[in-house]
Each structure stands twice: as structure tokens, then as C-alpha cells.
């Protein structure tokens, strides 16, 4: 089992940047593909970004492509989400997730394929 703890959320003006962090503990970090999802009030949880177990492959939701970057640091057991050019519509609770089901070089966008989830961190973008 792995435990996930997000940090780095907060309030930022439109056009600003934030970096979210997710610390993984409990099992070998490299055994998991990692993802970020978000959920706005009244909406379903949506895919934001994912990185493969190897770190070589990434994927992004259409609404964040070109603005967000996912990365992972194996020495720190941490996955990051760098968010630039933030918009009010990026306001949501952001969740980190870990998947043990994916192949070494694969990523997944599907919430059902993630086995572990963090508690979430609030990101609010003001206009």
C-alpha cells in the first residue's frame, strides 16, 4: 500500500503559477504510475496529467496542455504538477493518485485504474 500527501495549493490570481507536490510513502515509488486529477464543485473528477512508472511518458488533459507540466523525483518519492498561466476555470480540489496496474512505459487517464488517492489540495484562481 502507498500513502499520498498533496501540498502546494492555495489562492492565486489569473495568469499566475503554482506548483503542487505529492509525497508518496509506504511502497517503492517506481512501482506506480502517477496522476493528477481535479474536481470542481458540482462536477466529476477529471483527469489533469499523468506520468509513467519509468518517467519517460506523460499525458495531459486537453484543457491544461501547454500550461501544466507533470514530473517525478525518484530520490524524493515525489510527483509534481507545475501549473502556469492559471485560469479561474482551473479552480478545483487537486488529487494525486497512484496506479500499480500500468506497464513501465504507460500512463492512464482513467480514475478506475488508480489504486490509491491523496486527500486533495485546494487551488483557487481569482479573476
Amino acid at each position: 500500500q502507498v500513502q499520498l500527501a498533496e501540498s502546494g495549493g492555495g489562492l492565486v490570481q489569473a495568469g499566475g503559477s503554482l506548483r503542487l507536490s505529492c509525497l508518496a510513502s509506504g511502497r517503492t515509488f517506481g512501482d506506480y504510475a502517477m496522476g493528477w486529477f481535479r474536481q470542481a464543485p458540482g462536477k466529476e473528477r477529471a483527469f489533469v496529467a499523468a506520468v509513467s512508472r519509468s518517467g519517460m511518458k506523460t499525458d495531459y488533459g486537453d484543457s491544461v496542455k501547454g500550461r501544466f507540466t507533470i514530473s517525478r523525483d525518484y530520490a524524493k518519492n515525489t510527483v509534481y504538477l507545475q501549473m502556469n498561466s492559471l485560469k479561474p476555470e482551473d479552480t478545483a480540489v487537486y488529487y494525486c493518485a497512484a496506479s500499480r496496474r500500468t506497464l513501465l512505459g504507460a500512463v492512464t487517464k482513467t480514475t478506475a485504474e488508480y489504486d490509491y488517492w491523496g486527500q486533495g489540495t485546494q487551488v483557487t484562481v481569482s479573476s
Side-chain angles (χ1 to χ4, degrees):
Q1 189 168 353
V2 64
Q3 291 79 43
L4 303 173
E6 302 97 335
S7 61
L11 174 64
V12 63
Q13 288 188 332
S17 298
L18 281 175
R19 188 177 78 158
L20 305 183
S21 300
C22 173
L23 176 63
S25 59
R27 293 294 296 269
T28 304
F29 185 56
D31 287 348
Y32 298 89
M34 303 296 296
W36 286 96
F37 292 77
R38 67 187 182 186
Q39 189 165 18
K43 295 187 177 181
E44 293 188 353
R45 194 166 295 190
F47 171 73
V48 175
V51 59
S52 64
R53 289 168 55 196
S54 67
M56 298 299 291
K57 183 173 176 59
T58 59
D59 201 359
Y60 298 90
D62 289 342
S63 62
V64 307
K65 282 180 180 176
R67 300 188 297 124
F68 291 11
T69 303
I70 189 170
S71 61
R72 63 190 301 169
D73 185 330
Y74 295 90
K76 296 182 178 179
N77 284 4
T78 300
V79 61
Y80 301 100
L81 185 68
Q82 177 66 44
M83 306 185 295
N84 298 329
S85 302
L86 282 162
K87 306 174 181 179
E89 51 264 43
D90 294 318
T91 295
V93 177
Y94 283 70
Y95 297 92
C96 174
S99 171
R100 62 185 176 187
R101 312 181 193 197
T102 56
L103 299 175
L104 186 63
V107 295
T108 178
K109 301 180 179 182
T110 307
T111 56
E113 295 184 357
Y114 284 86
D115 302 287
Y116 304 102
W117 293 83
Q119 293 298 309
T121 185
Q122 176 71 46
V123 172
T124 303
V125 184
S126 63
S127 57

